[in-house]
Amino acid sequence: MKSLSALRPDGTNIGLMLLIALALAIFTVMLPGRFLTDSTFMSMAFQLPELGLLTLAMFIAILSGGLNLAIIATANLTALFIAWTLMRALPADAGTGMQLLWLFIAIIGAMLIAALIGVITGVMVTRIGAHPILVTLATMMTLNGIGIWLTKGAAVSGMPSVVQALGSNTLLGVPLPLWVFLFAAALLALFLGKTRAGKCIYMGGSNINATWFSGINTHRMVILVYVISSLLCVLAGLIMMARFNSARMGYGDAYLLLTVLAIILGGTDPNGGFGRVTGVVLALIALQVLSTGFNLMNISQHVSLAMWGAVLIVVLAFKQFKTRFNEHRAVKLSKLAAALNPLTEKKEV
């Protein structure tokens, strides 16, 4: 029974599913013969994973009560490392087995770099006490500077065939990048919901001081959060590199706002402590459907970006209003209970 209740969608998820259904219906009517096609849905399935992986990287940071503005810079820098490794190590006539071996080695190296970035970020937040916004902003600027200095702003292109296949092939009719995203989302959901460390992250996001006094090493917890966030960025950078057939600092810069929007729209508390991976995934699907529909309607990307910002403002305002309303209602109920308490005591006497 407990497992069934865990799978039961909450109000946010039901609302997102209704939004997806409504958007599909509207675009099908407004774009007859253009929206409801196999090519459109396949295009959405190829586009969603890179934003989805970056969103998961931002999600775990926000869930812990922090923020990670360096997700895109981390993704691009680790993608550059993978690209450099493959370009320098692989001979021109390397077979598929050799390519897979060096790709695996390059990904391991990129994950070590990402883990180091996560550890440094976590130590800066916990030991020095700097705010996560300032720390990750400084990290983002540093990584961008290093990447641009090493490449002089140019792209590293000409990826081997296994990388190109990752960005364009399908498995059981589903794009390979989408499989990577779904696998990462499932692992993150299991980690947050079924492990002690995941529950500690929820506790730390709700009240970091109370979590510390309950005997949990919150310093280690925060470092773990930023390490996981950075490791998810490696997957995002790999998918972007595979889709664009190149790696470059600056890819995906427009995704930063959308990651926050998807997280908040998915029901995550911006202050941390509450949120579900399923809500984030549904929010990403809703945003992808809307974005694809707007593109088919030839709506400017600048207009879409302004609209996403306005939606984020509205959602944040609604959440703030709802929080204050609930607090005000709780105060009124407590006063009413206090007023009724003497009356019940008199009746008992």
Side-chain angles (χ1 to χ4, degrees):
M1 294 297 292
K2 288 184 177 180
S3 59
L4 291 176
S5 62
L7 294 173
R8 188 179 303 160
D10 57 12
T12 300
N13 290 356
I14 293 174
L16 288 170
M17 287 187 284
L18 290 175
L19 174 62
I20 294 169
L22 180 62
L24 289 172
I26 291 175
F27 287 131
T28 300
V29 173
M30 296 184 66
L31 299 166
R34 295 177 59 198
F35 183 78
L36 202 62
T37 62
D38 293 340
S39 61
T40 299
F41 284 99
M42 189 62 69
S43 175
M44 287 191 287
F46 273 108
Q47 293 174 22
L48 176 66
E50 58 196 56
L51 173 61
L53 289 166
L54 289 171
T55 302
L56 293 179
M58 180 69 83
F59 166 71
I60 191 170
I62 291 180
L63 190 66
S64 69
L67 194 70
N68 190 358
L69 298 177
I71 53 173
I72 296 172
T74 302
N76 286 325
L77 188 66
T78 54
L80 281 174
F81 175 83
I82 296 174
W84 282 330
T85 303
L86 295 177
M87 298 295 288
R88 295 195 177 193
L90 277 177
D93 57 346
T96 302
M98 182 65 69
Q99 291 182 29
L100 288 172
L101 175 62
W102 276 104
L103 177 61
F104 176 76
I105 294 172
I107 291 174
I108 295 299
M111 286 186 169
L112 291 175
I113 295 173
L116 179 61
I117 294 171
V119 169
I120 293 174
T121 303
V123 168
M124 290 284 289
V125 172
T126 56
R127 300 297 180 180
I128 298 178
H131 197 282
I133 292 179
L134 299 177
V135 173
T136 55
L137 178 62
T139 304
M140 177 187 70
M141 295 173 65
T142 303
L143 297 180
N144 278 329
I146 292 173
I148 293 173
W149 173 66
L150 291 174
T151 61
K152 294 180 174 54
V156 179
S157 57
M159 297 297 106
S161 57
V162 291
V163 176
Q164 297 179 37
L166 176 62
S168 59
N169 286 5
T170 62
L171 176 64
L172 302 176
V174 178
L176 290 178
L178 188 58
W179 281 116
V180 174
F181 167 66
L182 293 176
F183 181 71
L187 280 183
L188 184 60
L190 288 173
F191 169 75
L192 292 173
K194 300 298 182 180
T195 66
R196 181 179 182 274
K199 296 183 185 303
C200 289
I201 291 172
Y202 276 105
M203 291 174 59
S206 299
N207 192 319
I208 191 72
N209 293 325
T211 305
W212 171 265
F213 285 114
S214 66
I216 296 171
N217 191 331
T218 55
H219 291 174
R220 197 179 303 167
M221 180 207 75
V222 172
I223 292 173
L224 176 64
V225 164
Y226 286 102
V227 168
I228 295 174
S229 179
S230 297
L231 291 176
L232 287 167
C233 293
V234 175
L235 294 178
L238 177 64
I239 295 301
M240 285 194 290
M241 181 181 70
R243 287 195 64 241
F244 300 146
N245 195 27
S246 63
R248 178 178 178 271
M249 300 304 295
Y251 282 163
D253 282 346
Y255 286 152
L256 193 61
L257 169 66
L258 291 178
T259 60
V260 178
L261 175 59
I263 291 166
I264 304 304
L265 193 63
T268 303
D269 189 335
N271 298 315
F274 181 81
R276 296 172 64 182
V277 174
T278 52
V280 174
V281 172
L282 287 173
L284 284 166
I285 295 173
L287 291 177
Q288 185 62 62
V289 170
L290 292 172
S291 178
T292 301
F294 292 151
N295 287 336
L296 291 175
M297 293 174 66
N298 295 322
I299 296 177
S300 171
Q301 291 185 354
H302 301 291
V303 175
S304 299
L305 187 61
M307 186 190 67
W308 298 140
V311 170
L312 180 58
I313 292 173
V314 171
V315 172
L316 287 172
F318 174 77
K319 283 183 174 292
Q320 189 67 19
F321 171 78
K322 184 178 179 181
T323 300
R324 291 187 177 182
F325 174 78
N326 290 335
E327 290 176 352
H328 180 69
R329 184 182 179 187
V331 170
K332 290 184 69 175
L333 289 175
S334 62
K335 289 181 178 179
L336 180 61
L340 292 175
N341 191 39
L343 296 177
T344 57
E345 289 179 354
K346 288 180 179 179
K347 288 182 179 179
E348 291 177 357
V349 172

